[in-house]
Structure formats: C-alpha cells, structure tokens
Amino acid sequence: MNVTEPDGVEGAVVKVVGMTGRIIISILLLLPSLLWGQSALTPEDPPQQRRCGHYEYIEMLTEQDPEFPARRAALEEEMNRWIMENAEIINSESSSVITIPVVVHILYFNHIQNIPHSRVIEQIDRLNKDFRRLNSNLSGIPAAFAHLVADVEFEFCLARRDPQGNWTNGVTRRQVSQPSFTYHDDHIIKSTSQGGQSIWNPARYLNIWVVNLTGGVLGYAQPPGGNATTDGIVIGYRFFGSTGASPPFNHGRTTVHEVGHWFNLIHIWGDDNGACWGSDLVHDTPNQASEFYGCPTFPQMDICTPDSPGVMFMNYMDYVNDDCMMMFTHGQKARMLAALNVFRPGLKNSNGCKPAINVEEIPDLSSLSVFPNPGNGLFRFELIMNTDAEIHLTVVNSLGQTVWDDNLGVRQSVYETIDLQHLAPGFYYLSVSAGGSRTTQKLIIQ
Ligand SMILES: [Zn+2]
C-alpha cells in the first residue's frame, strides 16, 4: 500500500474545472467513490452499541497460528501459579505503582482522522484515572459492589524516548492510502512496509494504533501469547479520547476495556453465548450470561445470577456505554498483575518515559496539529517540540501575500487558539518556523 499525497484529490478536481458543467458534476460525483471508496463518501455511522473485536481477533490469530491456543493455556497456568504465590502483593494496595510507557500510532487518511495531541493526552488521563480508581463516576457503583473496586495501581505515560533513545512526544503519525480498516487489516496497520506503522518493542511499550476502524467494532486487543510484532491494541479514532469523539463512546473507555484485554482480562460474561458455563476466570465478578448494553439501571439479574445484587454490568469489561463503566475488581487486578509479571515484565523496568538521551538541537515540528480544518477561522493550534525555540507563525493567502503573523516567543509546546475570523473564506497557508525548522500547512476558512 502506498502513502497518498494529501493534495492528490484536490489536484484531480482542479484539472476538470475547464470542462462543461455536466461533465464536472459527473466526475465530481464519481471521484470520491473511485479514489476513496464508498466509506469516505458516506462515513459509517457510529455503532449504537459497543462491540469489541477481541473474540473474533483471537479466532483469526488462531487460524493463522494454530499453536496460539496452547501458548495461551500455558500462560494461564503460569498466571494462576503467580497469583497463588503472590497473594501478598495482590492483596495490598502498597503504592507500588507501575508506570507503563505508551506509544500512540495515528494512521490517518484525512485530517479528521488525524486527531490532535490533546485528545491523546485526554486518553492517557482517562487510563490513569480508571486504573487508579480515581474516576469521577465512582460514586455510581452500587454499595453491594463497593468493596470489590480495585485500585489497579497501573499508570500510563506517553513515551519520551523512542526505542533508539531519540526524543519523541509519544505519538507517531502517518497518512495512509486506505480510508478505513477492519481487524482483517491488522497486518497492514502494524507494518511500516505495508503502509502502516511497525510496532515499538512491546516488551517496553504499550503500542496503541488509532485508525478509522469500521465493521461495527470499536477496538480490539492482542492478549498475551500472540506474535510480538502485533502485540498491542487498535482503537477506532472516533472512540479515542473525548473531545470530538462519538457519543456514547466519547470518554475513552474503549481503550480502558482493550487495555484490560491486553492484560489478559476476559469479557465479564465469559463469551459463552448466553450460557452460564463460561467464566471470566475471576472469582469476584458475578456469573453473567450475556453482555449488557447502554446504561442499565441497578440491579440487573439474569439466569446465571438470579439473586440480588445481580450482575456487575458497570464493569469495564462489559459492553455498557462509556458513562456507565466504573470499575475493575480485585480479582481482575490480580489477573492483570499476573499477566504483567509473567508475560510483560519488561514494562516494569522500561525507560520509555525517561527523557531521551539523543536530543537533537533542531526543533522537531512533526507534531503540528491545526483543527478544525476546514474551519470558521478559529483554529486550535498544537505543537509539541523536542526543544525550546522561538516560534513564529505566518499566514499567507493564495496570492502569497502575508495576511497575518504572530510571534509566540520561546516555547517547547503550544496549545492555543488562533483567531483568523477576520479573513475572507478561502485557502491559506500557515507557515510555522522555530529555530531554523519550518513547516507549512494548508488552512481552509469556510
Ligand atoms: Zn472486549
């Protein structure tokens, strides 16, 4: 797969301007479906119900790698042994917090999918709140389950050095030629040579790929025991972070759920198609027949747990809306700690969040994000560089005339709104210069 140039489609449109109106209309109607496929012309509606691709993804991995189930079973035994031998660690909230370095790989087809850095920060913040029992909806947990709520004692940080020791802001970005992906495209998503982005050493980083994931699936994760080149989680960009994400999945809990799978948690109903024999292999979650959707009222009883207080639908590993997910249990914490210690011990000593050793003197402008674009003239401007530098902004019109400029002073990062509402609708170019580096981005004012 090739990486597309962002201006390729606009160029094609310009070339047909001289033809008759009828031809232009026909070509304009055809172009998007020819170049982008139908999904870009009419974006798939956000799912109304949560569905994660974890189970189907495991089936696909098993077809590709028949040894996978045996490795998972062996790991399960090792995890159980670890849990038995480390009851003291599991049962104490010892403030021995483990910090997990995260790299977010954003694969975008268009500017909407190229979500800003601030949304990545929102997502990391959500992980940190939920895995530390600091979520603001904690008070919604029924009293009957309150004693089961765990502080998982995992924290997450955006990587500050890449696998080579170079500076990073924890996010990689790449434009792709495919408007959307499903989990069947996993080999493309996770491979630079195929047009995606190859994994950073999963022994040291939690890799999260953010893509336009379609097919009714919000995200999926590879559990322990899989191939090291694909060991991470994939999240639909519409369900990552909060600002601009698709309700009711706009509070970052798709990622919390998938990180749970990455640490070997199973859906709380045991993936047994409504039966009671399946289990999430956790002792303190009630047996549950099927998933719950939306935002159920408490209590909910089912055929597996017919008595009060019923099932624990507000668990992060059920399928309820983001607002209505509230807790991991102590048993789930034990499984996640076991998965970390048995399968992902390198994360405990990873230096991924220590400042880079090879800091370049030349400012890195690759994180520049200006949105919404097209916009009404009020643009959010975000830039996170590797070093301090004096930042200068210039806006020129299509004739090359400077119509606005501003000096932001010496900074390393900028999160500001720039006001260009006084400019007439049209195309402009924003030029950003900082300490000898320079980059330009097209702006559209509508
Ligand atoms: Zn799931």
Side-chain angles (χ1 to χ4, degrees), residues 346-366:
L347 292 174
K348 293 195 293 183
N349 303 312
S350 173
N351 60 4
C353 282
K354 296 206 168 70
I357 43 176
N358 310 326
V359 178
E360 293 280 342
E361 293 295 317
I362 302 163
D364 180 343
L365 301 180
S366 61

Side-chain angles (χ1 to χ4, degrees), residues 147-188:
H147 64 292
L148 298 174
V149 187
D151 171 1
V152 179
E153 297 185 301
F154 288 176
E155 291 185 358
F156 301 82
C157 59
L158 268 180
R160 296 180 68 190
R161 68 166 76 187
D162 71 10
Q164 287 74 43
N166 299 315
W167 175 85
T168 176
N169 61 22
V171 179
T172 72
R173 295 175 187 272
R174 185 170 189 195
Q175 186 161 34
V176 293
S177 59
Q178 197 166 323
S180 65
F181 297 89
T182 71
Y183 65 88
H184 293 288
D185 301 313
D186 198 58
H187 59 291
I188 298 171

Side-chain angles (χ1 to χ4, degrees), residues 4 20 89 99 111 116 123 136 163 169 186 211 228 233 240 259 291 332 344 395 411-412 414 437:
T4 32
T20 66
I89 297 174
T99 303
H111 67 275
Q123 183 60 67
S136 61
N169 61 22
D186 198 58
V211 306
I233 71 177
F240 193 81
V259 172
E291 63 274 29
Q332 288 175 320
R344 308 189 186 284
V395 174
R411 321 264 288 260
Q412 184 167 2
V414 184
S437 295

Side-chain angles (χ1 to χ4, degrees), residues 404-441:
W404 182 87
D405 72 335
D406 195 12
N407 195 323
L408 300 180
V410 177
R411 321 264 288 260
Q412 184 167 2
S413 58
V414 184
Y415 296 89
E416 282 187 13
T417 299
I418 54 178
D419 185 353
L420 303 175
Q421 291 178 101
H422 59 285
L423 299 177
F427 290 93
Y428 296 88
Y429 293 91
L430 170 69
S431 171
V432 181
S433 64
S437 295
R438 186 183 162 96
T439 187
T440 298
Q441 185 162 331

Side-chain angles (χ1 to χ4, degrees), residues 52 54 257-258 261 267 317 319:
C52 112
H54 183 65
H257 176 106
E258 296 305 333
H261 282 314
H267 287 141
M317 299 316 289
Y319 267 1

Side-chain angles (χ1 to χ4, degrees), residues 3-15:
V3 176
T4 32
E5 286 300 318
D7 293 329
V9 175
E10 283 159 17
V13 175
V14 170
K15 282 173 196 158

